[in-house]
Each structure stands twice: as structure tokens, then as C-alpha cells.
């Protein structure tokens, strides 16, 4: 990189992802009319109470998910291993997701200013009718099953355990879901439960009792966990996702597949991005490998940026690397500094060696596929002009004569 790049003109960028406002639907606070909404989903993940070795899996998935900067996060259950206890819930959940929880009752940080974390009860969370879960979170409705609307998406969390209100389609809970789906004006209506109605294996039993008429009631997609795999299954006029690779363990497959896609090679989570015209689903591993992409609504023609470059602060003389995660065919990259092309910066990542103060500025990347291009969000590079104290001197009390 050199100073000559700042005199070059910026390259025009176009993006072919259409965004429009669904007439009559008001966006909630924080969502502008027609803006896209990023949502994260994780399942079978709360294992930090088992110790550092297992916590490393959960931590890696949580870090990957948070890199997407989701507006909200919902789960497919088994958030709090091994037994859903009050004594383990903060280390299993709050440790990694306190920035999304409000009010946050734990000890790992300040929490969020409004609640952005919406858990589903799994069988490992189902102790005393989910009471530790209810005591820890502040959720809508009765907190066992409820809904939450954000922009063009409404998420309907249901309880596939032995809920006091029943867990059949004709139970009190089932009738609530049918009525709530019918009343919703959201463009996309997503149902999340723990026990998957269908298995990823052709002869797998799944959970027949949870095969409610979701499509007929108006749902757009159904999410489940419990099976420690990822799968996408199309049946009964709706798409089912199994999203259970959050960190507890990885399950196997038995025989032929009943799924359009199934995967069990690494841990990961799901990223959703919604507008009023599209809902895009990705399953992405903790190593930023995009395993599956599925789109509801209008097709996507332009490359899709899943994780933009992040802002960084560094001391002069150090090296910094920006990177981007995108999906599409035959991707090409062009990095920009203050909206000007950087010569020879055409890889997925971009490194500046021996950073100097004049490198401070805004960085972004244009990702192209064919004739279509998408520009990332801007990352700011701040170069400190003074020493950075990374650890303050500690106060000490010593006896006279000691060192």
C-alpha cells in the first residue's frame, strides 16, 4: 500500500438485491423502512459448565455468530447443559451472550439495553417446567412459548417438551400458535422448537407429534435442534432446518438421507438476512465455511456479504489484517481505502504491514461475481499516536525490606 492510491477515482458499485417496504407494516425501533435484518440462530450449545475443553467449542461458534452483528438471536434449545440448572445458566449462556440479554441478571457484563436473545426450551433445559430459564430471562408471554417481531420477521418460539399447556397441534399451545400466526402481519414467520419433526435420515423417526400444520397456518420455515447435525428438509410445503451444532457434540448419520442438505463435519450456527422481498438462510461453521445457502422470495443475483471487515485500533509499526466473508460464484475482491481502489489488494483478506499514521482511514471491499457487485460496510483503522498501556501497574502491600 502507498500514498499514490489516494488520488485515484472510486469505482462505481451496484447491488442487485432489491429491497422494498411492505405496505402497512411499521418497522419496530431500530429498523428502518426497507432495511435488511440479520438474525442469528444457535442450538445445542450451552456446554461451558463442562469445563474449558467443551467451552472452546461454544466460544468459537458464539464468536463466529457475533461477527455477523445480528440484530437478534434465537435458539433451538438445549441452552444450558447438563440439566438446565440455575447454577449453570449464566456460565453457559450469559458468558457468551450477555450483550444480547436484557435485563441481564448475571456477572459477565452489563447486558443489553433491550432484549435481543430469544431462547427455546430444550430437553436439557426442561427442569421444574423450565423455571430456571423463566427466572433468568425476561421474555414475552408465558416465557415457555411466545413470539417476537423484528422488522419483516416474526419468530414464534414453541415448547416441544411436556408443556403444561400441551404440545399437540390441538392443545392450548397449539391453538395459540395457529391464532398467532394468522394474526401476524410479518412478511416472514419463523417457528422454532427443540425436537425436530423430521429426521435427516430417511428412516429416522423424528418427532411425529410435532408435525403440526405449520405451512397451512402461515409459517415460512421451521427450525429445530436436538439432533447434533445441520440439515435442510423440504416436506409438507415448508422447509425444516435442524440446527444443533452449537457446541455440545456432533452426531452421526444412519443410512440414506431424507434431507436436501445434511452436514456434520464441524460446529456452526445459522445466519438469516431478511428484507420484505427475500429471506436468505446460511449455515456457517465456526471456521467461516458456508455449508448451505437457501433463499425464500426473490432470487439473489449479487454476491452476499456475510461478515464485513471489522474496525481496528493499532499502534504504529504493527501489522493489521482486514478480512471479509462472502458467498457467491467465482468471487472477485477489490479492497478500498477511503473509497479508492488499493492496487493489488484483490484477495479475501488484506494486510497492511508496518502500519504508519497516514494509513489511518476507512477501509471496505467490493465483492464481485460476474457483472454484479456488493460493497461491504466500512471498517475504520485507527492508528494510535501515543503509547498504549495494555496493563496498568498493580497496587501492592509488602513488608519493610522486601523486594
Amino acid at each position: 500500500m502507498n500514498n499514490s492510491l489516494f488520488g485515484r477515482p472510486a469505482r462505481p458499485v451496484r447491488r442487485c438485491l432489491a429491497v422494498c417496504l411492505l405496505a402497512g407494516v411499521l418497522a419496530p425501533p431500530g429498523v428502518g423502512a426497507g432495511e435488511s435484518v440479520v438474525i442469528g440462530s444457535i442450538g445445542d450449545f450451552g456446554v461451558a459448565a463442562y469445563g474449558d475443553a467443551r467451552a472452546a467449542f461454544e466460544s468459537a461458534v458464539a464468536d463466529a455468530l457475533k461477527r455477523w452483528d445480528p440484530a437478534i438471536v434465537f435458539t433451538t434449545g438445549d441452552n444450558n447443559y447438563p440439566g438446565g440448572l440455575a447454577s449453570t445458566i449464566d456460565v453457559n449462556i450469559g458468558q457468551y451472550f450477555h450483550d444480547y440479554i436484557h435485563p441481564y441478571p448475571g456477572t459477565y457484563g452489563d447486558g443489553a439495553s433491550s432484549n435481543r436473545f430469544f431462547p427455546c426450551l430444550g430437553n436439557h433445559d426442561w427442569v421444574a417446567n423450565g423455571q430456571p430459564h423463566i427466572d433468568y430471562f425476561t421474555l414475552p408471554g408465558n416465557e415457555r412459548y411466545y413470539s417476537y417481531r423484528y422488522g419483516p420477521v416474526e419468530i414464534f418460539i414453541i415448547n416441544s417438551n411436556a408443556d403444561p399447556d400441551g404440545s399437540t397441534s390441538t392443545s392450548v399451545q397449539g391453538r395459540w400458535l395457529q391464532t398467532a400466526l394468522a394474526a401476524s402481519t410479518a412478511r416472514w414467520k419463523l417457528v422454532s422448537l427443540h425436537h425436530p419433526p423430521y429426521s435427516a435420515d430417511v428412516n429416522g423417526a423424528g418427532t411425529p407429534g410435532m408435525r403440526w400444520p405449520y405451512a397451512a397456518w402461515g409459517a415460512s420455515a421451521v427450525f429445530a435442534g436436538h439432533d447434533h447435525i445441520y440439515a435442510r428438509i423440504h416436506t409438507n410445503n415448508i422447509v425444516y432446518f435442524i440446527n444443533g451444532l452449537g457446541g455440545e457434540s456432533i452426531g452421526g448419520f444412519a443410512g440414506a438421507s431424507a434431507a436436501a442438505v445434511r452436514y456434520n463435519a464441524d460446529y456452526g450456527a445459522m445466519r438469516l438476512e431478511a428484507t420484505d422481498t427475500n429471506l436468505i438462510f446460511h449455515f456457517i461453521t465456526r471456521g467461516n465455511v458456508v455449508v448451505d445457502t437457501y433463499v425464500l422470495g426473490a432470487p439473489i443475483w449479487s454476491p452476499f456479504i456475510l461478515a464485513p471487515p471489522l474496525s481496528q485500533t493499532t499502534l504504529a509499526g504493527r501489522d493489521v489484517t482486514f478480512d471479509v466473508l462472502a458467498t457467491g460464484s467465482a468471487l472477485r475482491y477489490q479492497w478500498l481505502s477511503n473509497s479508492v481502489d488499493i492496487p493489488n489488494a484483490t484477495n479475501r483478506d488484506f494486510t497492511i504491514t508496518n502500519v504508519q499514521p497516514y494509513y489511518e482511514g476507512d477501509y471496505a471491499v467490493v465483492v464481485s461475481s460476474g457483472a454484479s457487485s456488493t460493497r461491504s460496510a466500512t471498517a475504520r483503522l485507527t492508528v494510535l499516536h501515543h503509547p498504549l498501556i495494555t496493563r496498568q501497574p498493580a497496587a501492592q502491600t509488602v513488608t519493610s525490606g522486601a523486594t
Side-chain angles (χ1 to χ4, degrees):
M1 176 177 176
N2 58 65
N3 287 332
S4 64
L5 66 90
F6 292 101
R8 296 179 58 190
R11 181 156 64 99
V13 177
R14 68 184 181 90
R15 177 165 183 168
C16 301
L17 174 60
V19 178
C20 64
L21 174 65
L22 183 65
V25 177
L26 297 178
V31 182
E35 288 184 5
S36 65
V37 172
V38 176
I39 297 172
S41 180
I42 189 170
D44 300 83
F45 64 95
V47 297
Y50 286 137
D52 290 345
R54 303 286 284 280
F57 298 135
E58 177 180 0
S59 177
V61 176
D63 287 346
L65 183 152
K66 288 185 283 188
R67 168 75 190 272
W68 312 330
D69 192 23
I72 60 174
V73 176
F74 72 94
T75 84
T76 58
D78 281 359
N79 320 299
N80 183 19
Y81 286 94
L85 301 178
S87 60
T88 57
I89 196 168
D90 196 37
V91 69
N92 280 335
I93 305 173
Q95 179 175 185
Y96 303 107
F97 294 102
H98 58 272
D99 288 341
Y100 295 85
I101 300 171
H102 176 84
Y104 172 57
T107 62
Y108 289 96
D110 295 332
S113 58
S114 61
N115 191 53
R116 301 191 291 140
F117 192 83
F118 300 96
C120 171
L121 283 158
N123 55 291
H124 283 270
D125 310 310
W126 191 242
V127 57
N129 285 353
Q131 197 60 48
H133 161 105
I134 291 170
D135 292 341
Y136 186 79
F137 295 105
T138 300
L139 301 168
N142 62 26
E143 300 186 86
R144 303 187 314 275
Y145 57 90
Y146 57 92
S147 69
Y148 182 78
R149 172 78 182 271
Y150 196 92
V153 177
E154 188 161 0
I155 298 171
F156 299 82
I157 303 290
I158 61 175
N159 183 18
S160 57
N161 297 288
D163 193 271
D165 288 345
S167 54
T168 67
S169 61
T170 57
S171 66
V172 171
Q173 180 183 194
R175 293 196 300 272
W176 167 83
L177 179 64
Q178 181 180 11
T179 300
L181 284 167
S184 174
T185 59
R187 175 65 179 90
W188 309 108
K189 306 174 189 181
L190 311 179
V191 176
S192 181
L193 65 155
H194 182 62
H195 298 88
Y198 296 93
S199 168
D201 298 334
V202 70
N203 294 318
T207 311
M210 297 309 300
R211 295 173 187 172
W212 298 2
Y214 303 108
W217 289 353
S220 306
V222 179
F223 296 77
H226 193 61
D227 294 348
H228 295 177
I229 61 166
Y230 169 77
R232 170 162 55 88
I233 302 167
H234 299 263
T235 187
N236 290 337
N237 300 312
I238 199 168
V239 58
Y240 291 82
F241 295 96
I242 301 176
N243 174 23
L245 286 174
E248 203 281 333
S249 62
I250 295 179
F253 297 123
S257 177
V261 177
R262 64 177 185 175
Y263 172 85
N264 67 345
D266 197 5
Y267 297 104
M270 290 190 71
R271 181 190 188 275
L272 288 64
E273 185 159 351
T275 70
D276 293 317
T277 55
N278 311 86
L279 177 56
I280 304 97
F281 307 87
H282 295 98
F283 182 83
I284 305 173
T285 72
R286 57 179 171 157
N288 291 323
V289 175
V290 180
V291 171
D292 186 32
T293 300
Y294 183 69
V295 180
L296 289 177
I300 299 296
W301 302 109
S302 61
F304 210 80
I305 291 178
L306 305 175
L310 300 177
S311 296
Q312 300 186 52
T313 299
T314 187
L315 287 169
R318 293 186 176 178
D319 298 345
V320 297
T321 297
F322 293 102
D323 68 341
V324 65
L325 178 63
T327 184
S329 60
L331 295 178
R332 307 185 308 277
Y333 303 90
Q334 176 60 63
W335 287 89
L336 314 173
S337 175
N338 298 321
S339 298
V340 178
D341 287 5
I342 302 172
N344 302 316
T346 55
N347 296 321
R348 192 181 74 82
D349 53 15
F350 167 62
T351 298
I352 307 173
T353 59
N354 189 24
V355 168
Q356 298 301 313
Y358 52 79
Y359 290 144
E360 186 169 87
D362 294 334
Y363 291 82
V365 59
V366 174
V367 183
S368 302
S369 176
S372 298
S373 297
T374 301
R375 178 172 172 156
S376 74
T378 298
R380 179 73 181 174
L381 176 61
T382 301
V383 181
L384 295 176
H385 299 264
H386 52 76
L388 174 66
I389 296 175
T390 58
R391 185 176 65 182
Q392 298 288 346
Q396 301 181 55
T397 300
V398 299
T399 58
S400 178
T403 299

